[in-house]
């Protein structure tokens, strides 16, 4: 089973080292692309294009895959899925602590990527207008009320997703929380089983 893990701002794919290790032990094939620049200077549309190129180069065209995006990576993944991906290949979509409705911290600097993450931005409005195409994936959005990066924390709530709170004390700790890992693993497995059942019946 292929799993794509998409990092957030100021990060690289290495931020998923613990989650990657867990999925590898379960027998999955895990991809952790480095989307550069990750400083907020590039638009999220451009970074989604780089994600598309990475997937085209690394995941065989006849294989399906799961997508998980953390923080800014959640929005990059949403744009990729809504505008670029063949959704027939997508098994599931998970978002961890992503500013689905913007974050006040995005006003801290006048950078392209940060502007995309401001509440009411053209980028976020475009995502919202076209998000219904992802409903069949039954997306999972996990967020923490203690988030000091996504402000307010409830901005991570996504109206078409199954939203679950995780009582994790800080934004980056979402990537080392066993409770979060368990929720993600359970969701991915349920979506895999659902797709297997659908394939047998079709």
């Amino acid at each position: 089973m292929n799993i794509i893990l998409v990092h957030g701002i100021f990060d690289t794919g290495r931020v998923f080292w613990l989650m990657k290790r867990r999925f590898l032990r379960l027998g999955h094939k895990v991809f952790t692309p480095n989307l550069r620049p990750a400083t907020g200077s590039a638009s999220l549309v451009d970074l989604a294009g780089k994600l598309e190129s990475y997937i085209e180069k690394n995941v065989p065209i006849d294989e399906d895959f799961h997508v998980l995006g953390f923080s800014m990576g959640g929005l990059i993944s949403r744009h990729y899925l809504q505008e670029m991906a063949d959704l027939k290949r997508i098994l599931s979509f998970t978002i961890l602590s992503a500013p689905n409705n913007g974050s006040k911290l995005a006003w801290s600097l006048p950078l392209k990527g940060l502007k995309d993450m401001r509440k009411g931005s053209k980028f976020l409005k475009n995502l919202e207008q076209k998000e219904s195409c992802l409903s069949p994936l039954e997306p999972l959005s996990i967020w923490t009320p203690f988030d000091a990066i996504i402000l307010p924390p409830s901005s991570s709530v996504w109206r078409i997703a199954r939203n679950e709170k995780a009582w994790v004390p800080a934004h980056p700790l979402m990537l080392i929380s066993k409770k979060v890992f368990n929720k993600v693993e359970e969701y991915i497995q349920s979506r895999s089983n659902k797709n297997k059942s659908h394939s047998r019946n079709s």
Side-chain angles (χ1 to χ4, degrees):
M1 185 185 308
N2 298 309
I3 302 176
I4 316 292
L5 305 178
V6 186
H7 66 80
I9 195 167
F10 305 130
D11 283 330
T12 68
R14 292 182 181 180
V15 76
F16 291 109
W17 69 272
L18 192 58
M19 183 178 289
K20 180 178 181 178
R21 186 174 71 180
R22 175 161 174 165
F23 281 135
L24 288 174
R25 287 177 176 175
L26 291 172
H28 304 313
K29 191 171 183 180
V30 184
F31 300 87
T32 54
N34 295 319
L35 303 179
R36 297 190 177 99
T39 58
S41 60
S43 74
L44 303 196
V45 173
D46 289 344
L47 293 176
K50 293 184 178 182
L51 176 60
E52 179 187 34
S53 297
Y54 176 91
I55 292 173
E56 287 180 348
K57 292 177 181 178
N58 291 277
V59 183
I61 195 169
D62 59 342
E63 294 184 12
D64 299 335
F65 53 96
H66 299 269
V67 178
L68 180 147
F70 170 62
S71 195
M72 182 178 76
L75 298 184
I76 294 169
S77 299
R78 278 183 63 184
H79 184 84
Y80 162 72
L81 292 172
Q82 293 179 201
E83 302 287 352
M84 303 171 179
D86 177 2
L87 293 180
K88 294 179 181 179
R89 299 179 62 198
I90 310 303
L91 299 172
S92 74
F93 180 37
T94 307
I95 285 184
L96 303 181
S97 293
N100 290 302
N101 302 291
S103 175
K104 292 180 180 179
L105 282 186
W107 292 89
S108 59
L109 290 170
L111 302 175
K112 291 181 180 179
L114 292 179
K115 288 180 179 180
D116 286 340
M117 292 187 283
R118 294 174 180 175
K119 183 177 180 179
S121 71
K122 181 179 179 180
F123 177 81
L124 289 180
K125 287 180 178 179
N126 184 64
L127 284 184
E128 184 177 352
Q129 289 172 358
K130 301 179 180 180
E131 67 188 10
S132 61
C133 68
L134 301 184
S135 294
L137 292 176
E138 301 174 337
L140 173 64
S141 178
I142 307 176
W143 63 286
T144 172
F146 304 117
D147 207 316
I149 301 298
I150 310 303
L151 297 175
S154 59
S155 184
S156 291
V157 173
W158 184 16
R159 65 178 182 176
I160 72 164
R162 188 179 89 206
N163 296 282
E164 295 195 12
K165 288 182 184 179
W167 299 97
V168 176
H171 183 80
L173 299 183
M174 293 290 283
L175 296 183
I176 63 171
S177 167
K178 290 184 178 179
K179 291 182 179 179
V180 171
F181 288 3
N182 289 339
K183 289 177 183 290
V184 173
E185 184 181 331
E186 179 183 354
Y187 166 66
I188 285 178
Q189 189 59 54
S190 68
R191 288 294 304 173
S192 296
N193 292 339
K194 186 170 184 177
N195 279 278
K196 286 179 182 177
S197 176
H198 178 74
S199 297
R200 288 196 297 268
N201 295 330
S202 60

